[in-house]
């Protein structure tokens, strides 16, 4: 079995369902929310563990209530935590998420007392697959350089110097539309293929790896057999909460590309996994099973 290592952010999410975005200086009564661990790399690690890959997580949490809950969730899916560091001087990052039921959008307020990287700089195992989210740039770069033949994926969600540097060391740069626009200075209009092509070519020319640009409900954009292609996703008529949809996409993409699926099918199936997740509230409890994703591939004409 291939060893997967996910390196990056772990947080604790408190998701609150609202009927509309709150008006300042008013009171709002809501139904009970959902609490669970979050963070891009941590969510991907949880999904990969749930899908029965041997998964190691590298990151840092606080020695507190939320940190303990994150560890317990990892234990339940048998994620290896040998490189999950627990800090006595760092509070586990907390994200308060307003999930707007009127349109499925979410607004995230992040509480973090300081930036904290893992102290360990010696990873003794050699993973076959590495997924990084840019939140642990030092150890991420070290692991990528020490394992040049591994299947490597970068979840580039936003433009930061540390993420841009890691773009140079991965085989698959899977970035958000926001990242692509900010980095390339190209305003992407999904219905204008020239804008997509311009952004893609800038990324390709600069980093020389496989580029995938995620476009939310429009799907994902990449090059398949020398042809630029938008790979569509499932149409969700009543989205509930988009929290962790991107993390789930990246985890699923990593699963499929590392298990010898073609690039097209890896993206198609990852699109489906992300789309399923927006039909439920919260992050981890919205993660589909592998069976659900594979069955939907053949049930829907997308």
């Amino acid at each position: 079995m291939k060893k997967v290592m996910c390196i990056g952010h772990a947080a604790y999410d408190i998701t609150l369902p609202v009927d509309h975005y709150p008006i300042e200086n008013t009171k709002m009564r809501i139904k009970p929310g959902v609490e669970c661990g979050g963070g891009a790399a941590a969510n991907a690690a949880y999904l990969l563990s749930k899908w029965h890959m041997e998964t190691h997580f590298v990151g840092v949490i606080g020695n507190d209530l939320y940190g303990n809950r994150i560890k317990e969730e990892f234990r339940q899916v048998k994620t290896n935590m040998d490189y999950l560091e627990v800090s006595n001087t760092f509070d586990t990052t907390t994200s308060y998420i307003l999930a707007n039921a009127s349109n499925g959008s979410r607004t995230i307020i992040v509480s973090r007392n300081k930036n904290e990287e893992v102290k360990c700089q010696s990873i003794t195992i050699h993973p076959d697959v590495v997924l990084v989210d840019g939140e642990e740039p030092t150890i991420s770069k070290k692991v990528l350089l020490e394992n040049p033949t591994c299947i490597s994926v970068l979840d580039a969600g936003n433009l930061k110097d540390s993420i841009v540097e890691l773009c140079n060391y991965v085989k698959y740069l899977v970035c958000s539309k926001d990242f692509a626009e900010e980095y390339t200075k190209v305003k992407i209009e999904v219905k204008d293929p020239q804008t997509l092509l311009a952004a893609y070519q800038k990324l390709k020319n600069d980093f020389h790896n496989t580029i995938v640009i995620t476009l939310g409900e429009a799907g994902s954009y990449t090059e398949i057999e020398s042809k630029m292609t938008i790979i569509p996703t499932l149409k969700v008529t009543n989205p509930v909460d988009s929290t962790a949809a991107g993390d789930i996409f990246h985890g699923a993409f990593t699963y499929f590309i590392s298990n010898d699926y073609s690039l097209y099918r890896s993206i198609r199936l990852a699109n489906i996994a992300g789309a399923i997740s927006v039909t439920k509230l919260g992050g981890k409890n919205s993660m589909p099973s592998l069976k659900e994703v594979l069955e939907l591939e053949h049930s829907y004409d997308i």
Side-chain angles (χ1 to χ4, degrees), residues 102-120:
S102 67
N103 58 16
S105 71
R106 84 278 192 265
T107 302
I108 304 176
I109 302 169
V110 178
S111 174
R112 188 169 187 167
N113 67 325
K114 66 174 183 173
N115 290 325
E116 181 92 346
E117 284 194 63
V118 296
K119 300 294 190 296
C120 172

Side-chain angles (χ1 to χ4, degrees), residues 115-184:
N115 290 325
E116 181 92 346
E117 284 194 63
V118 296
K119 300 294 190 296
C120 172
Q121 295 301 316
S122 177
I123 302 293
T124 59
I125 68 167
H126 291 282
D128 304 293
V129 184
V130 177
L131 180 150
V132 298
D133 67 10
E135 292 297 323
E136 292 285 348
T138 305
I139 192 63
S140 294
K141 181 178 177 180
K142 182 177 175 64
V143 169
L144 290 167
L145 288 173
E146 290 178 351
N147 299 276
T149 62
C150 73
I151 296 167
S152 51
V153 179
L154 172 60
D155 175 353
N158 54 78
L159 187 65
K160 295 166 55 173
D161 289 343
S162 58
I163 292 179
V164 172
E165 183 180 9
L166 290 173
C167 290
N168 295 286
Y169 304 108
V170 294
K171 291 182 171 59
Y172 296 94
L173 168 53
V174 186
C175 66
S176 67
K177 176 174 171 282
D178 288 346
F179 176 92
E181 287 182 327
E182 291 184 57
Y183 178 80
T184 66

